[in-house]
Amino acid sequence: MAYDPDNVFARILRGEIPSTRVFEDDEFIAIRDVAPAAPTHILLLPRHEGTTGPADLDAADADWVGRMVILATRIAREQGLDDGYRLVMNCGPHGGQSVPHLHLHLLGGRTLGAFAEPAGIP
Ligand code: DGP
């Protein structure tokens, strides 16, 4: 899928749409999800445009994706998620991805339920 430079996260990164930022450096920003699915729900976004979702990744992306995951664990510590948390990357329509700019969800603050419905599995 071609990258849409007007997707909502690209616009947030350009400052065209407000967001609550909990972290930023020259490579990533982390914002609070506008529709939180848990008491703590933070999204980590790479600043660079062009990566629509996980399916776009290849070996050349391994370093920055690794840094993003490690950053998520650091933010989780800073947010006090000492009892655990979940890191999620949705991909495409079946994965429930709604914004076509790769992002990592950090969810915590309560015991989380099953991450996919068992119904429908043959
Ligand atoms: P996904 O479904 O994996 O593509 O996750 C997209 C998330 O982005 C979803 O949990 C809702 C959130 N979201 C959508 N629009 C906005 C927005 O304008 N601001 C913020 N902070 N979050 C948004």
Side-chain angles (χ1 to χ4, degrees):
M1 188 201 306
Y3 184 81
D4 170 11
D6 286 324
N7 76 75
V8 68
F9 290 167
R11 299 189 64 204
I12 284 172
L13 283 156
R14 291 196 296 267
E16 296 169 7
I17 295 176
S19 62
T20 303
R21 297 189 183 202
V22 299
F23 174 88
E24 58 185 307
D25 66 9
D26 56 359
E27 197 171 28
F28 304 106
I29 70 169
I31 63 173
R32 294 211 183 271
D33 196 293
V34 76
T40 300
H41 189 169
I42 290 168
L43 304 166
L44 286 87
L45 318 177
R47 280 192 189 273
H48 72 264
E49 297 188 4
T51 308
T52 298
D56 286 347
L57 296 172
D58 61 28
D61 300 302
D63 286 353
W64 72 260
V65 173
R67 286 193 294 277
M68 184 171 65
V69 172
I70 291 165
L71 174 60
T73 69
R74 178 182 141 194
I75 293 172
R77 265 194 309 280
E78 291 171 357
Q79 294 287 322
L81 301 179
D82 303 329
D83 291 332
Y85 50 86
R86 183 171 291 164
L87 301 177
V88 175
M89 248 191 240
N90 294 325
C91 185
H94 279 192
Q97 183 180 5
S98 60
V99 181
H101 177 110
L102 183 139
H103 49 281
L104 180 63
H105 295 255
L106 165 60
L107 299 136
R110 66 168 166 80
T111 301
L112 299 166
F115 58 81
E117 304 80 16
I121 298 174

